[in-house]
Amino acid sequence: MRRDVFQAVADPTRRAILGLLALGAMTPNAIAEHFDSARQTVSKHIQILTECGAVQPQKTGREIYYHVNPDKMKEIDLWLENFRKLWEGRFDQLDEVLKNL
């Protein structure tokens, strides 16, 4: 089953994992050390992020390192762009009101 990236980032733990991986590639054990959850739970979160393409595994020797997939994160950025424009427009309007006060 291929998951949707929006479904994946809806969970706060998965967002935290993405935040860690944004700093650099990590093994599942290194990721799990940052959470109070069981390693199996963290592995399930990593699996979901992998299924949607948000992270990519890279095998190096006996270890698997996970990296953030910036192309998949771009999907989220493109979706947010409309909201960003909306809020920037509203802040510009607020700036004008404040200037006139």
Side-chain angles (χ1 to χ4, degrees), residues 4-33:
D4 183 270
V5 69
F6 295 99
Q7 178 186 15
V9 298
D11 184 273
T13 301
R14 291 192 285 269
R15 289 192 305 269
I17 291 170
L18 287 169
L20 286 171
L21 295 178
L23 301 174
M26 298 176 80
T27 64
N29 287 336
I31 295 168
E33 289 175 1

Side-chain angles (χ1 to χ4, degrees), residues 30-77:
I31 295 168
E33 289 175 1
H34 290 85
F35 298 93
D36 292 331
S37 307
R39 289 186 192 270
Q40 287 178 326
T41 303
V42 173
S43 290
K44 182 64 178 172
H45 286 300
I46 294 169
Q47 177 186 357
I48 292 168
L49 290 167
T50 303
E51 288 173 0
C52 78
V55 299
Q56 295 174 321
Q58 179 183 3
K59 191 163 182 154
T60 304
R62 293 177 26 179
E63 295 287 344
I64 297 174
Y65 286 85
Y66 287 91
H67 305 262
V68 170
N69 179 359
D71 293 333
K72 203 53 144 169
M73 296 296 99
K74 189 78 169 165
E75 284 183 36
I76 297 169
D77 184 53

Side-chain angles (χ1 to χ4, degrees), residues 71-86:
D71 293 333
K72 203 53 144 169
M73 296 296 99
K74 189 78 169 165
E75 284 183 36
I76 297 169
D77 184 53
L78 291 173
W79 182 77
L80 286 172
E81 183 62 27
N82 292 327
F83 297 100
R84 192 176 297 117
K85 288 178 183 176
L86 171 78

